mmCIF file of all heavy atoms in Angstrom:
data_model
loop_
_atom_site.group_PDB
_atom_site.id
_atom_site.type_symbol
_atom_site.label_atom_id
_atom_site.label_comp_id
_atom_site.label_asym_id
_atom_site.label_seq_id
_atom_site.Cartn_x
_atom_site.Cartn_y
_atom_site.Cartn_z
ATOM 1 N N ARG A 1 -14.830 9.907 0.166
ATOM 2 C CA ARG A 1 -13.512 10.468 -0.182
ATOM 3 C C ARG A 1 -13.084 11.643 0.712
ATOM 4 O O ARG A 1 -11.923 11.722 1.110
ATOM 5 C CB ARG A 1 -13.500 10.860 -1.666
ATOM 6 C CG ARG A 1 -12.100 10.858 -2.259
ATOM 7 C CD ARG A 1 -12.139 11.056 -3.763
ATOM 8 N NE ARG A 1 -12.400 9.837 -4.485
ATOM 9 C CZ ARG A 1 -13.154 9.750 -5.571
ATOM 10 N NH1 ARG A 1 -13.756 10.799 -6.056
ATOM 11 N NH2 ARG A 1 -13.317 8.589 -6.183
ATOM 12 N N PRO A 2 -13.986 12.576 1.053
ATOM 13 C CA PRO A 2 -13.547 13.706 1.889
ATOM 14 C C PRO A 2 -13.134 13.308 3.312
ATOM 15 O O PRO A 2 -12.502 14.094 4.014
ATOM 16 C CB PRO A 2 -14.788 14.622 1.936
ATOM 17 C CG PRO A 2 -15.658 14.183 0.805
ATOM 18 C CD PRO A 2 -15.399 12.729 0.634
ATOM 19 N N TYR A 3 -13.501 12.097 3.736
ATOM 20 C CA TYR A 3 -13.300 11.708 5.138
ATOM 21 C C TYR A 3 -12.201 10.657 5.336
ATOM 22 O O TYR A 3 -11.918 10.270 6.467
ATOM 23 C CB TYR A 3 -14.619 11.161 5.717
ATOM 24 C CG TYR A 3 -15.768 12.119 5.569
ATOM 25 C CD1 TYR A 3 -16.695 11.966 4.535
ATOM 26 C CD2 TYR A 3 -15.916 13.207 6.435
ATOM 27 C CE1 TYR A 3 -17.747 12.858 4.376
ATOM 28 C CE2 TYR A 3 -16.967 14.099 6.280
ATOM 29 C CZ TYR A 3 -17.878 13.920 5.252
ATOM 30 O OH TYR A 3 -18.923 14.817 5.090
ATOM 31 N N ILE A 4 -11.604 10.188 4.243
ATOM 32 C CA ILE A 4 -10.584 9.134 4.348
ATOM 33 C C ILE A 4 -9.286 9.580 3.672
ATOM 34 O O ILE A 4 -9.275 10.550 2.916
ATOM 35 C CB ILE A 4 -11.055 7.806 3.707
ATOM 36 C CG1 ILE A 4 -11.342 8.010 2.202
ATOM 37 C CG2 ILE A 4 -12.268 7.243 4.423
ATOM 38 C CD1 ILE A 4 -11.447 6.741 1.390
ATOM 39 N N HIS A 5 -8.211 8.863 3.944
ATOM 40 C CA HIS A 5 -6.965 9.053 3.199
ATOM 41 C C HIS A 5 -6.969 8.137 1.981
ATOM 42 O O HIS A 5 -7.446 7.004 2.070
ATOM 43 C CB HIS A 5 -5.742 8.672 4.052
ATOM 44 C CG HIS A 5 -5.520 9.549 5.239
ATOM 45 N ND1 HIS A 5 -5.757 10.910 5.230
ATOM 46 C CD2 HIS A 5 -5.061 9.250 6.489
ATOM 47 C CE1 HIS A 5 -5.466 11.410 6.412
ATOM 48 N NE2 HIS A 5 -5.047 10.429 7.196
ATOM 49 N N ARG A 6 -6.432 8.623 0.865
ATOM 50 C CA ARG A 6 -6.097 7.723 -0.238
ATOM 51 C C ARG A 6 -4.706 7.186 0.085
ATOM 52 O O ARG A 6 -3.709 7.876 -0.076
ATOM 53 C CB ARG A 6 -6.114 8.443 -1.586
ATOM 54 C CG ARG A 6 -5.906 7.463 -2.745
ATOM 55 C CD ARG A 6 -5.937 8.135 -4.101
ATOM 56 N NE ARG A 6 -5.695 7.143 -5.126
ATOM 57 C CZ ARG A 6 -6.606 6.679 -5.971
ATOM 58 N NH1 ARG A 6 -7.839 7.144 -5.931
ATOM 59 N NH2 ARG A 6 -6.304 5.761 -6.868
ATOM 60 N N THR A 7 -4.649 5.971 0.561
ATOM 61 C CA THR A 7 -3.393 5.425 1.077
ATOM 62 C C THR A 7 -2.457 5.025 -0.062
ATOM 63 O O THR A 7 -2.900 4.668 -1.145
ATOM 64 C CB THR A 7 -3.671 4.211 1.977
ATOM 65 O OG1 THR A 7 -4.480 3.273 1.257
ATOM 66 C CG2 THR A 7 -4.382 4.625 3.248
ATOM 67 N N PRO A 8 -1.143 5.068 0.186
ATOM 68 C CA PRO A 8 -0.190 4.761 -0.877
ATOM 69 C C PRO A 8 -0.120 3.266 -1.200
ATOM 70 O O PRO A 8 -0.513 2.427 -0.383
ATOM 71 C CB PRO A 8 1.141 5.243 -0.297
ATOM 72 C CG PRO A 8 0.961 5.192 1.180
ATOM 73 C CD PRO A 8 -0.483 5.491 1.433
ATOM 74 N N VAL A 9 0.393 2.973 -2.400
ATOM 75 C CA VAL A 9 0.707 1.599 -2.802
ATOM 76 C C VAL A 9 2.233 1.506 -2.878
ATOM 77 O O VAL A 9 2.862 2.232 -3.650
ATOM 78 C CB VAL A 9 0.077 1.247 -4.164
ATOM 79 C CG1 VAL A 9 0.481 -0.157 -4.602
ATOM 80 C CG2 VAL A 9 -1.442 1.378 -4.102
ATOM 81 N N LEU A 10 2.821 0.655 -2.040
ATOM 82 C CA LEU A 10 4.278 0.556 -1.962
ATOM 83 C C LEU A 10 4.791 -0.730 -2.605
ATOM 84 O O LEU A 10 4.078 -1.742 -2.647
ATOM 85 C CB LEU A 10 4.742 0.602 -0.503
ATOM 86 C CG LEU A 10 4.410 1.865 0.302
ATOM 87 C CD1 LEU A 10 5.016 1.772 1.696
ATOM 88 C CD2 LEU A 10 4.897 3.128 -0.399
ATOM 89 N N VAL A 11 6.002 -0.673 -3.115
ATOM 90 C CA VAL A 11 6.652 -1.856 -3.704
ATOM 91 C C VAL A 11 8.043 -2.015 -3.099
ATOM 92 O O VAL A 11 8.624 -1.052 -2.600
ATOM 93 C CB VAL A 11 6.758 -1.756 -5.247
ATOM 94 C CG1 VAL A 11 5.383 -1.746 -5.892
ATOM 95 C CG2 VAL A 11 7.548 -0.515 -5.663
ATOM 96 N N SER A 12 8.554 -3.236 -3.164
ATOM 97 C CA SER A 12 9.900 -3.520 -2.665
ATOM 98 C C SER A 12 10.561 -4.534 -3.591
ATOM 99 O O SER A 12 10.079 -5.664 -3.715
ATOM 100 C CB SER A 12 9.836 -4.082 -1.240
ATOM 101 O OG SER A 12 11.051 -4.732 -0.906
ATOM 102 N N SER A 13 11.654 -4.144 -4.226
ATOM 103 C CA SER A 13 12.340 -5.064 -5.141
ATOM 104 C C SER A 13 12.881 -6.277 -4.385
ATOM 105 O O SER A 13 12.888 -7.398 -4.907
ATOM 106 C CB SER A 13 13.463 -4.345 -5.894
ATOM 107 O OG SER A 13 14.338 -3.703 -4.995
ATOM 108 N N LEU A 14 13.300 -6.069 -3.138
ATOM 109 C CA LEU A 14 13.819 -7.182 -2.354
ATOM 110 C C LEU A 14 12.715 -8.205 -2.049
ATOM 111 O O LEU A 14 12.924 -9.415 -2.178
ATOM 112 C CB LEU A 14 14.436 -6.689 -1.047
ATOM 113 C CG LEU A 14 15.052 -7.840 -0.250
ATOM 114 C CD1 LEU A 14 16.561 -7.747 -0.222
ATOM 115 C CD2 LEU A 14 14.501 -7.899 1.148
ATOM 116 N N LEU A 15 11.538 -7.724 -1.668
ATOM 117 C CA LEU A 15 10.433 -8.638 -1.363
ATOM 118 C C LEU A 15 9.907 -9.310 -2.633
ATOM 119 O O LEU A 15 9.454 -10.460 -2.587
ATOM 120 C CB LEU A 15 9.316 -7.910 -0.616
ATOM 121 C CG LEU A 15 9.692 -7.373 0.780
ATOM 122 C CD1 LEU A 15 8.493 -6.754 1.465
ATOM 123 C CD2 LEU A 15 10.306 -8.455 1.655
ATOM 124 N N ASN A 16 9.969 -8.592 -3.757
ATOM 125 C CA ASN A 16 9.611 -9.214 -5.039
ATOM 126 C C ASN A 16 10.538 -10.394 -5.329
ATOM 127 O O ASN A 16 10.096 -11.471 -5.734
ATOM 128 C CB ASN A 16 9.714 -8.200 -6.187
ATOM 129 C CG ASN A 16 8.596 -7.176 -6.167
ATOM 130 O OD1 ASN A 16 7.602 -7.347 -5.461
ATOM 131 N ND2 ASN A 16 8.751 -6.111 -6.920
ATOM 132 N N LYS A 17 11.813 -10.171 -5.117
ATOM 133 C CA LYS A 17 12.814 -11.212 -5.375
ATOM 134 C C LYS A 17 12.613 -12.401 -4.444
ATOM 135 O O LYS A 17 12.666 -13.562 -4.847
ATOM 136 C CB LYS A 17 14.210 -10.604 -5.175
ATOM 137 C CG LYS A 17 15.352 -11.458 -5.691
ATOM 138 C CD LYS A 17 16.670 -10.697 -5.533
ATOM 139 C CE LYS A 17 17.847 -11.603 -5.883
ATOM 140 N NZ LYS A 17 19.133 -10.923 -5.645
ATOM 141 N N LEU A 18 12.346 -12.087 -3.197
ATOM 142 C CA LEU A 18 12.158 -13.115 -2.170
ATOM 143 C C LEU A 18 10.925 -13.986 -2.442
ATOM 144 O O LEU A 18 10.943 -15.196 -2.215
ATOM 145 C CB LEU A 18 12.012 -12.430 -0.810
ATOM 146 C CG LEU A 18 12.206 -13.253 0.449
ATOM 147 C CD1 LEU A 18 13.651 -13.707 0.574
ATOM 148 C CD2 LEU A 18 11.804 -12.435 1.663
ATOM 149 N N SER A 19 9.884 -13.352 -2.941
ATOM 150 C CA SER A 19 8.611 -14.062 -3.151
ATOM 151 C C SER A 19 8.445 -14.598 -4.573
ATOM 152 O O SER A 19 7.574 -15.429 -4.829
ATOM 153 C CB SER A 19 7.442 -13.122 -2.828
ATOM 154 O OG SER A 19 7.485 -11.983 -3.677
ATOM 155 N N GLY A 20 9.250 -14.097 -5.512
ATOM 156 C CA GLY A 20 9.138 -14.543 -6.896
ATOM 157 C C GLY A 20 7.936 -13.982 -7.621
ATOM 158 O O GLY A 20 7.507 -14.499 -8.648
ATOM 159 N N THR A 21 7.361 -12.908 -7.084
ATOM 160 C CA THR A 21 6.197 -12.278 -7.708
ATOM 161 C C THR A 21 6.317 -10.762 -7.579
ATOM 162 O O THR A 21 7.095 -10.267 -6.758
ATOM 163 C CB THR A 21 4.882 -12.770 -7.066
ATOM 164 O OG1 THR A 21 3.764 -12.178 -7.719
ATOM 165 C CG2 THR A 21 4.794 -12.441 -5.591
ATOM 166 N N GLN A 22 5.578 -10.024 -8.391
ATOM 167 C CA GLN A 22 5.532 -8.558 -8.281
ATOM 168 C C GLN A 22 4.481 -8.199 -7.239
ATOM 169 O O GLN A 22 3.293 -8.449 -7.446
ATOM 170 C CB GLN A 22 5.135 -7.947 -9.630
ATOM 171 C CG GLN A 22 6.218 -7.974 -10.679
ATOM 172 C CD GLN A 22 7.212 -6.844 -10.474
ATOM 173 O OE1 GLN A 22 8.401 -7.060 -10.389
ATOM 174 N NE2 GLN A 22 6.726 -5.620 -10.396
ATOM 175 N N LEU A 23 4.910 -7.632 -6.128
ATOM 176 C CA LEU A 23 3.993 -7.322 -5.035
ATOM 177 C C LEU A 23 3.666 -5.830 -4.979
ATOM 178 O O LEU A 23 4.557 -4.991 -5.119
ATOM 179 C CB LEU A 23 4.611 -7.754 -3.695
ATOM 180 C CG LEU A 23 4.798 -9.261 -3.497
ATOM 181 C CD1 LEU A 23 5.643 -9.522 -2.259
ATOM 182 C CD2 LEU A 23 3.452 -9.967 -3.381
ATOM 183 N N TYR A 24 2.392 -5.546 -4.754
ATOM 184 C CA TYR A 24 1.920 -4.164 -4.616
ATOM 185 C C TYR A 24 1.141 -4.081 -3.303
ATOM 186 O O TYR A 24 0.056 -4.659 -3.177
ATOM 187 C CB TYR A 24 1.046 -3.763 -5.804
ATOM 188 C CG TYR A 24 1.785 -3.865 -7.121
ATOM 189 C CD1 TYR A 24 1.795 -5.067 -7.843
ATOM 190 C CD2 TYR A 24 2.505 -2.790 -7.624
ATOM 191 C CE1 TYR A 24 2.503 -5.170 -9.033
ATOM 192 C CE2 TYR A 24 3.217 -2.889 -8.819
ATOM 193 C CZ TYR A 24 3.207 -4.087 -9.513
ATOM 194 O OH TYR A 24 3.912 -4.190 -10.685
ATOM 195 N N PHE A 25 1.714 -3.384 -2.322
ATOM 196 C CA PHE A 25 1.128 -3.322 -0.984
ATOM 197 C C PHE A 25 0.247 -2.074 -0.840
ATOM 198 O O PHE A 25 0.760 -0.950 -0.860
ATOM 199 C CB PHE A 25 2.225 -3.295 0.069
ATOM 200 C CG PHE A 25 3.053 -4.551 0.136
ATOM 201 C CD1 PHE A 25 4.262 -4.642 -0.551
ATOM 202 C CD2 PHE A 25 2.635 -5.642 0.888
ATOM 203 C CE1 PHE A 25 5.036 -5.796 -0.486
ATOM 204 C CE2 PHE A 25 3.400 -6.800 0.958
ATOM 205 C CZ PHE A 25 4.596 -6.883 0.268
ATOM 206 N N LYS A 26 -1.055 -2.273 -0.677
ATOM 207 C CA LYS A 26 -1.984 -1.170 -0.424
ATOM 208 C C LYS A 26 -1.991 -0.897 1.078
ATOM 209 O O LYS A 26 -2.471 -1.705 1.878
ATOM 210 C CB LYS A 26 -3.387 -1.541 -0.925
ATOM 211 C CG LYS A 26 -4.469 -0.496 -0.654
ATOM 212 C CD LYS A 26 -4.237 0.802 -1.395
ATOM 213 C CE LYS A 26 -5.467 1.715 -1.270
ATOM 214 N NZ LYS A 26 -5.142 3.104 -1.655
ATOM 215 N N CYS A 27 -1.455 0.257 1.468
ATOM 216 C CA CYS A 27 -1.118 0.511 2.879
ATOM 217 C C CYS A 27 -2.263 1.116 3.684
ATOM 218 O O CYS A 27 -2.239 2.301 4.046
ATOM 219 C CB CYS A 27 0.117 1.392 2.950
ATOM 220 S SG CYS A 27 1.584 0.564 2.321
ATOM 221 N N GLU A 28 -3.249 0.289 4.020
ATOM 222 C CA GLU A 28 -4.344 0.758 4.869
ATOM 223 C C GLU A 28 -3.917 0.898 6.330
ATOM 224 O O GLU A 28 -4.672 1.424 7.147
ATOM 225 C CB GLU A 28 -5.551 -0.165 4.740
ATOM 226 C CG GLU A 28 -6.289 -0.012 3.421
ATOM 227 C CD GLU A 28 -6.892 1.377 3.249
ATOM 228 O OE1 GLU A 28 -7.848 1.710 3.966
ATOM 229 O OE2 GLU A 28 -6.401 2.140 2.393
ATOM 230 N N ASN A 29 -2.703 0.463 6.645
ATOM 231 C CA ASN A 29 -2.129 0.765 7.961
ATOM 232 C C ASN A 29 -1.879 2.261 8.116
ATOM 233 O O ASN A 29 -1.735 2.768 9.225
ATOM 234 C CB ASN A 29 -0.823 -0.012 8.170
ATOM 235 C CG ASN A 29 0.202 0.253 7.079
ATOM 236 O OD1 ASN A 29 -0.125 0.251 5.890
ATOM 237 N ND2 ASN A 29 1.444 0.467 7.455
ATOM 238 N N LEU A 30 -1.865 2.984 6.996
ATOM 239 C CA LEU A 30 -1.679 4.445 7.021
ATOM 240 C C LEU A 30 -3.002 5.198 6.866
ATOM 241 O O LEU A 30 -3.023 6.407 6.673
ATOM 242 C CB LEU A 30 -0.700 4.863 5.916
ATOM 243 C CG LEU A 30 0.687 4.216 5.984
ATOM 244 C CD1 LEU A 30 1.542 4.643 4.804
ATOM 245 C CD2 LEU A 30 1.390 4.554 7.296
ATOM 246 N N GLN A 31 -4.111 4.453 6.945
ATOM 247 C CA GLN A 31 -5.445 5.058 6.883
ATOM 248 C C GLN A 31 -5.725 5.835 8.173
ATOM 249 O O GLN A 31 -5.069 5.602 9.198
ATOM 250 C CB GLN A 31 -6.495 3.950 6.679
ATOM 251 C CG GLN A 31 -7.925 4.419 6.450
ATOM 252 C CD GLN A 31 -8.047 5.411 5.306
ATOM 253 O OE1 GLN A 31 -8.093 6.624 5.533
ATOM 254 N NE2 GLN A 31 -8.064 4.907 4.077
ATOM 255 N N ARG A 32 -6.686 6.745 8.151
ATOM 256 C CA ARG A 32 -7.114 7.409 9.394
ATOM 257 C C ARG A 32 -7.513 6.351 10.408
ATOM 258 O O ARG A 32 -8.133 5.369 10.073
ATOM 259 C CB ARG A 32 -8.307 8.338 9.131
ATOM 260 C CG ARG A 32 -7.966 9.576 8.341
ATOM 261 C CD ARG A 32 -9.187 10.487 8.215
ATOM 262 N NE ARG A 32 -9.500 11.154 9.488
ATOM 263 C CZ ARG A 32 -10.689 11.697 9.776
ATOM 264 N NH1 ARG A 32 -11.680 11.640 8.901
ATOM 265 N NH2 ARG A 32 -10.881 12.298 10.937
ATOM 266 N N MET A 33 -7.172 6.528 11.646
ATOM 267 C CA MET A 33 -7.289 5.619 12.783
ATOM 268 C C MET A 33 -6.534 4.306 12.585
ATOM 269 O O MET A 33 -6.579 3.406 13.397
ATOM 270 C CB MET A 33 -8.737 5.348 13.254
ATOM 271 C CG MET A 33 -9.787 4.850 12.317
ATOM 272 S SD MET A 33 -9.645 3.191 11.635
ATOM 273 C CE MET A 33 -9.464 2.144 13.046
#
């Protein structure tokens, strides 16, 4: 925990509508490195 980011979980109502499901994106693209 002291060495990593706790990355956000993002949602998009438009992408939910497009996919027909409730999507929760865990953004490890925003992790360190």
Side-chain angles (χ1 to χ4, degrees):
R1 205 172 277 142
Y3 305 99
I4 61 164
H5 295 323
R6 186 179 178 108
T7 53
V9 177
L10 299 183
V11 295
S12 162
S13 54
L14 183 111
L15 296 184
N16 287 346
K17 193 176 173 184
L18 197 67
S19 60
T21 182
Q22 286 280 126
L23 294 170
Y24 300 88
F25 295 95
K26 177 65 171 165
C27 294
E28 287 297 291
N29 56 315
L30 302 177
Q31 186 54 262
R32 289 184 73 199
M33 55 67 54

